[in-house]
Amino acid sequence: MSPAGASPAAGTIAGMQKQQVLVAGGGIGGLAAALGASRAGWDVRLYERAEAFSEVGAGVQLGPNVVRRLQAWGLQHRLQSVAAFPERLQVRSALSGAELAVLPLGPTAVARYGAAYATIHRADLHGLLLAAVTKYTDTQISLAHAIDHFSDAEGVVTVRTSRGKEVEGDALVGADGLWSRTRAALLGDARPRVTGHLAYRALVPQHALPDVLRTRQVTAWLGPRLHAVQYPVRRGELQNLVVIVQGPAPDDLEGWDHAANAAGLASALRGACPALQQAVSGVADAGGGWRLWPLCDRPPVRGADGMARGRVALLGDAAHPMRPYLAQGAGMAIEDAAELQRALSMHDLDVPLRLRRYALNRWQRNARVQARSTRNGRIFHATGPVRWARDASLRLLGERLLDVPWLYRGDGSSASSL
C-alpha cells in the first residue's frame, strides 16, 4: 500500500515503475477490472468493504459475448470446471404451461458466436476471477477497506479508506456496485430508482428434487406482472430459480433483511400453471429457502461523462445498473473490464484520455443494454391484449425473437474518436 504523500505518478518516469490503478470494490466487476488492468501492465490495489469474500448470490447467465472475454483471459478451462452449459432456452406460459418458443444454445451458440452460453453460480464466477487475480497478477487486495473519499488533482488520485489510510494512484476505478460511493462523489446524482419489481431467488441441489423438476436447460416462464427463470449451475449440480413479481419495496433498501416469506411468493403465483407451482414448491420440499431482493436500476447512461471524468472511471453496476431481463448485468461489467484493459494499454495517451477512450467505447452499448432490459421487462410482464400478442409472436417467430445477434457478437470495443 502506498504511503501517504508518495505519488506513483512520479515514479513512472522513463518506465522505471508501473502506473498504479486503485479499484474500489471486490465483486465481479472489481476483480475483472483488476485482471484487465494488470494485463495492461498496471499495478493494481483493490479495496473491498467486506471483511471476507463469501459464497453469496445465486445464478448468473453468461452469453457468448461474455464467455469469449473469459476465454481471452485464459479462463476457459476453469469456467468449464464450474459452470453449466445448457443446450437450449425454452419459453413457456406461466398460466397454461404451454411452450411458446425455443432458442438452441449449446453447439449452436458456439457455431454462431464463437463461444458457448454458460450458466454459473455467482460465487463460482467470483471465485474464478479471484483465483486469476491472485495467481496471475500482483494485485494487492485490502479487505475491510472501503474507499470513502477521493480527490483528483495535480495528476494524482488520492483516496481515503474507511480505516483512515490515504493512498495515491494514477487512476481510480469505481466498481463498488449499485450504491457506489465513487459514483456519488464523481457524478453527484440521485440514488438508484426503485423499479417496483421484487426478485425471489433460490438455489437447491438437483439430486434433492424429483426427476420431473430437475433441469438441464434455461426455462423462462412469462405471466401477467411476473415471470420466472430456472436453469442449472455448478456443473448442473444445483438449480437456480428466480421469480420476479411486481410489488412495493421496503423503505430501507440498503440495510434490510433479505430473508423471504414464501407465503408472499405463493400468493403472487396463485394463478400460475401446476408445472410452475411444482417448480416453486419443490424448493421447500428439497430443504431450500428463498431470498428476496427489491430491484433497483438507473436510467440508461447518457454519455461518456457518465462513465469517466478525469482520472476516475466507473465500471459495472456503479456505472450502469440494469434490470435482469436481458441477463447481462455481470456480462456488461466484464465487457467494461475488457475495454478498460484496452484503454489502459494505450501508453501514448495520458491517463485521462485513456479513461475517456474507455468511456467512449462503452457508454452507448451499456445504454442500449439498459434500455433493452427495461423493455424486455415490460414484455415479460405484459397483461391483456399485449400478452396475447406477445405469445402469438413467440409461437410464430420463436428463435428469431429470442436470439440477440447484436449483443452476442459484439462487446462495444469499436474504436471511438477522442
Side-chain angles (χ1 to χ4, degrees), residues 189-211:
D189 57 2
R191 289 160 58 87
R193 64 186 180 184
V194 178
T195 65
H197 293 193
L198 305 174
Y200 290 82
R201 305 181 190 274
L203 277 167
V204 293
Q206 297 239 53
H207 69 78
L209 297 170
D211 288 347

Side-chain angles (χ1 to χ4, degrees), residues 78-85 118-121 124 233-236:
R78 176 62 178 163
L79 179 67
Q80 289 177 323
S81 72
V82 296
F85 298 90
T119 52
I120 188 170
H121 192 306
D124 293 337
V233 298
R234 194 164 287 170
R235 301 170 295 274

Side-chain angles (χ1 to χ4, degrees), residues 89-93 98-102 218-222 394 402:
L89 164 65
Q90 177 192 44
V91 180
R92 298 177 65 174
S93 167
E99 181 179 278
L100 301 176
V102 170
V218 181
T219 303
W221 306 78
L222 307 185
L394 284 168
L402 297 180

Side-chain angles (χ1 to χ4, degrees), residues 33-277:
L35 184 59
S38 294
R39 291 173 67 92
W42 285 55
D43 279 334
V44 182
R45 303 194 177 199
L46 184 149
Y47 299 90
E48 164 57 35
R49 177 182 303 278
E51 295 184 358
F53 294 124
S54 59
E55 184 165 304
V56 296
V60 174
Q61 298 181 62
L62 301 177
N65 54 307
V66 189
V67 173
R68 280 200 311 275
R69 172 41 47 196
L70 297 176
Q71 291 171 337
W73 282 337
L75 301 179
Q76 172 71 10
H77 294 304
R78 176 62 178 163
L79 179 67
Q80 289 177 323
S81 72
V82 296
F85 298 90
E87 294 291 318
R88 67 178 198 154
L89 164 65
Q90 177 192 44
V91 180
R92 298 177 65 174
S93 167
L95 296 183
S96 70
E99 181 179 278
L100 301 176
V102 170
L103 173 67
L105 299 175
T108 302
V110 175
R112 286 178 180 172
Y113 302 117
Y117 194 105
T119 52
I120 188 170
H121 192 306
R122 181 174 292 274
D124 293 337
L125 177 57
H126 186 274
L128 72 87
L129 290 170
L130 179 61
V133 167
T134 55
K135 184 176 181 180
Y136 300 116
T137 79
D138 294 325
T139 298
Q140 296 184 33
I141 298 176
S142 297
L143 298 175
H145 281 76
I147 291 180
D148 285 341
H149 173 80
F150 73 83
S151 64
D152 177 3
E154 299 180 357
V156 175
V157 176
T158 304
V159 305
R160 186 176 66 242
T161 76
S162 54
R163 294 195 171 185
K165 294 186 177 181
E166 287 196 352
V167 187
E168 292 184 349
D170 297 282
L172 168 64
V173 175
D176 42 351
L178 176 67
W179 304 99
S180 170
R181 295 186 181 183
T182 310
R183 179 191 179 107
L186 183 68
L187 305 184
D189 57 2
R191 289 160 58 87
R193 64 186 180 184
V194 178
T195 65
H197 293 193
L198 305 174
Y200 290 82
R201 305 181 190 274
L203 277 167
V204 293
Q206 297 239 53
H207 69 78
L209 297 170
D211 288 347
V212 70
L213 296 183
R214 299 176 190 178
T215 187
R216 298 179 61 185
Q217 66 179 17
V218 181
T219 303
W221 306 78
L222 307 185
R225 297 175 59 83
L226 66 86
H227 84 286
V229 182
Q230 60 185 135
Y231 52 83
V233 298
R234 194 164 287 170
R235 301 170 295 274
E237 297 164 12
L238 300 176
Q239 182 177 147
N240 179 79
L241 181 60
V242 56
V243 183
I244 300 181
V245 302
Q246 294 177 212
D251 293 331
D252 181 11
L253 288 171
E254 294 185 72
W256 76 301
D257 183 359
H258 290 273
N261 183 345
L265 178 57
S267 176
L269 291 174
R270 189 167 292 128
C273 66
L276 178 54
Q277 298 271 15

